[in-house]
Amino acid sequence: MTRLSNAFSKPHPALVCLVTAGDGDTAANLDALVEGGADVIELGMPFTDPMAGSTVPCLSEGQFAERLGVEM
Amino acid sequence: MASNPNTYKNQPDERGHFGDYGGRYVAETLMPLVLDLEREYRAAQADPAFHAEFDDLLEHYVGRPSPLYFAERLTEALGGAQVWFKRDELNHTGAHKINNCIGQILLAMRMGKTRIIAETGAGQHGVATATVCARFGLPCVIYMGAEDVRRQSPNVFRMKLLGAEVVPVTSGRGTLKDAMNEGLRDWVANVHDTFYIIGTAAGPHPYPELVRDFQSVIGKEARAQMQDRIGRLPDLLVAAIGGGSNALGLFHPFLDDPDVKMLGVEAAGHGLDGDEHAASLLGGFPGVLHGNKTYLLQDEDGQITEGHSISAGLDYPGIGPEHAWLKDTGRVEYTAITDEEALEAFQLLCRTEGIIPALEPSHAIAAVAKRAKEMPKDSVILANLCGRGDKDIFTVAERLGVEM
């Protein structure tokens, strides 16, 4: 948790950005967010049945070209 | 918290867990509501006036107690155990769903909520919700999968006649899971005035517990009725399982009777071998959906897969968390019945007893038919006839190639 608390203890309010994995080029998106000044990135995993994920889109037929697999 | 080995009836623990299952996996927006609901439920449980009002409505509005019926001709046809039915299909609205709706609407009113929402699969819970909303004068929105709207059209019309707004849900395969998603999303957006009446023993704590408690009127009555009629308890209880509320309602009061065996029947659809079934316990594995941890039909990434069953009420890729725990403890056995077997059982009950069952309990009847033959004639099977089949005649006609 130290890195996270560090992100919130800068002189300016922390910029927290949400992006969905698999929505375009994920690696490029993450790099761009860092370069653009994001202090914290929330990486959303697309799910078939999101409950209250705000901008996280539903995984549905035709929406993603390939099934998104998860490798940690 | 370790479960007390002397009883199966004291679940869940204070955090809503049945062993590893259950819990409260919800967005932060819903946490205050879910905690409020638990507090209100505990207060209601301790309030004799709440119980009195609940009992009064069950008796005079719903028509309880439901009969305990010995199916003489079916028993003869099967040639084995005596087959008895708990006839919750005779309740007002034609299924067991209303028991739970009465309890939840009383809770909603205690909490000062002014708007009711619900999900529905076969439409029985939607009809029961619309019914209690009309009875108490509350506006009502029912979410129903578009596919279910099509295959259970009589129920859709009934809901509208009762004053409810029916919202067809087109995401996913347009069935129960998708309706429940929309219900939860509506709730997240309308926490201040809205009460979500969940129709089965699933969802975030305290729903699985309170739904089971409201439905356990079924088993409490049945236990007393059996003792009255034949001076003994059944050897085997059988019930169909979608989310699992009718089964828990029948089973729970008997859980500490060690000689009473229990069989939960899931929907095997086109067979457990392929993907076209809705048997979460037999064909799935643990994950999180709709606010609880339980057995789900899912892929290796945790994406929920679509199930299939001819019966809308069993077509759910999850199961109430208490069943997941009961399966792990071995107290309840679980099996599955295909669409074809359910259709045969549907017709069997029509012809031997003059009762048209819903397709959901037809799965239980099919399992009863298999077991009865293997059991001695002095043994007793009690099955839950949790709904009547008027809503299913169009679907059955279609499957049998009959034009109405």
Side-chain angles (χ1 to χ4, degrees):
Chain A
M1 286 302 279
T2 317
R3 282 176 61 189
L4 193 60
S5 35
N6 284 346
F8 288 115
S9 50
K10 299 181 184 173
H12 57 80
L15 176 62
V16 181
C17 300
L18 167 68
V19 71
T20 304
D23 188 3
D25 181 342
T26 305
N29 287 341
L30 294 175
D31 287 340
L33 284 174
V34 169
E35 205 182 298
D39 298 297
V40 179
I41 296 174
E42 186 179 341
L43 183 62
M45 295 305 300
F47 179 47
T48 44
D49 299 86
M51 236 16 65
S54 60
T55 60
V56 178
C58 290
L59 182 68
S60 64
E61 286 142 359
Q63 203 156 2
F64 287 85
E66 299 160 43
R67 287 302 306 253
L68 190 73
V70 178
E71 273 186 49
M72 302 289 235
Chain B
M1 183 185 218
S3 58
N4 181 343
N6 293 324
T7 178
Y8 285 100
K9 291 167 76 171
N10 65 348
Q11 300 289 322
D13 68 17
E14 69 277 358
R15 295 186 63 206
H17 288 100
F18 302 87
D20 282 339
Y21 307 102
R24 280 192 270 243
Y25 295 82
V26 294
E28 291 116 68
T29 332
L30 284 184
M31 273 308 287
L33 217 61
V34 154
L35 292 170
D36 274 353
L37 176 58
E38 185 183 5
R39 206 186 45 242
E40 275 311 322
Y41 180 56
R42 299 289 171 232
Q45 277 178 306
D47 181 2
F50 180 86
H51 290 286
E53 199 177 357
F54 182 65
D55 290 344
D56 183 84
L57 286 161
L58 287 187
E59 183 181 351
H60 298 111
Y61 189 64
V62 176
R64 302 206 73 95
S66 60
L68 185 74
Y69 174 69
F70 171 52
E72 189 181 2
R73 279 200 72 220
L74 177 64
T75 297
E76 214 178 282
L78 297 174
Q82 284 181 37
V83 179
W84 292 71
F85 286 108
K86 182 60 171 149
R87 297 195 59 190
D88 262 51
E89 99 280 7
L90 290 174
N91 298 338
H92 178 41
T93 69
H96 70 291
K97 297 294 187 182
I98 191 125
N99 304 325
N100 170 53
C101 289
I102 294 279
Q104 288 199 39
I105 201 151
L106 291 178
L107 275 179
M109 293 187 299
R110 279 174 83 96
M111 293 173 77
K113 298 300 177 184
T114 52
R115 175 179 178 264
I116 303 294
I117 63 174
E119 86 295 346
T120 195
Q124 290 302 117
H125 174 61
V127 167
T129 303
T131 297
V132 298
C133 287
R135 169 66 185 76
F136 290 102
L138 290 175
C140 178
V141 176
I142 307 290
Y143 290 98
M144 189 174 191
E147 168 61 10
D148 291 339
V149 164
R150 186 195 69 79
R151 61 181 169 172
Q152 306 279 220
S153 50
N155 273 347
V156 176
F157 185 54
R158 288 163 84 195
M159 285 182 255
K160 291 178 178 173
L161 279 173
L162 293 160
E165 181 191 344
V166 179
V167 178
V169 177
T170 50
S171 52
R173 232 194 226 189
T175 59
L176 182 47
K177 157 182 90 80
D178 311 294
M180 202 155 169
N181 288 340
E182 284 305 318
L184 284 163
R185 288 179 198 134
D186 178 319
W187 202 26
V188 167
N190 293 293
V191 291
H192 301 296
D193 62 354
T194 298
F195 188 101
Y196 181 9
I197 297 187
I198 296 187
T200 192
H205 179 60
Y207 280 105
E209 180 185 348
L210 63 86
V211 173
R212 172 204 72 203
D213 288 346
F214 292 143
Q215 291 295 357
S216 59
V217 62
I218 300 173
K220 284 178 195 150
E221 281 175 10
R223 203 172 179 285
Q225 286 166 321
M226 271 265 148
Q227 294 283 26
D228 270 348
R229 297 277 291 280
I230 58 174
R232 53 160 292 183
L233 296 181
D235 295 292
L236 177 66
L237 301 178
V238 183
I241 310 236
S245 66
N246 90 82
L248 283 172
L250 179 65
F251 296 172
H252 195 258
F254 293 89
L255 283 177
D256 290 341
D257 296 305
D259 295 331
V260 178
K261 295 191 173 14
M262 302 179 188
L263 180 64
V265 186
E266 295 195 288
H270 295 314
L272 289 179
D273 298 331
D275 293 329
E276 301 276 299
H277 63 80
S280 337
L281 284 174
L282 297 177
F285 57 98
V288 176
L289 182 66
H290 297 150
N292 57 211
K293 183 174 182 188
T294 186
Y295 278 75
L296 300 170
L297 298 179
Q298 56 183 313
D299 68 17
E300 62 278 356
D301 290 333
Q303 305 289 0
I304 309 303
T305 53
E306 302 286 354
H308 162 78
S309 169
I310 187 177
S311 70
L314 303 185
D315 199 347
Y316 181 62
I319 188 153
E322 188 160 7
H323 282 292
W325 173 71
L326 285 168
K327 174 179 190 281
D328 279 8
T329 61
R331 179 63 183 96
V332 177
E333 184 193 347
Y334 294 87
T335 187
I337 287 290
T338 63
D339 288 355
E340 289 307 315
E341 290 171 320
L343 273 166
E344 267 172 45
F346 176 101
Q347 294 172 84
L348 179 66
L349 195 71
C350 288
R351 301 221 161 107
T352 55
E353 293 291 343
I355 300 172
I356 303 177
L359 284 169
E360 291 76 12
S362 298
H363 288 69
I365 297 162
V368 166
K370 289 185 182 180
R371 288 294 163 105
K373 292 172 190 161
E374 301 162 0
M375 291 167 69
K377 293 194 180 192
D378 59 358
S379 55
V380 171
I381 297 178
L382 171 58
N384 224 7
L385 228 179
C386 60
R388 62 176 193 241
D390 306 55
K391 66 184 178 71
D392 292 316
I393 55 175
F394 299 102
T395 301
V396 172
E398 195 183 309
R399 286 292 285 253
L400 296 180
V402 172
E403 274 203 39
M404 291 186 51

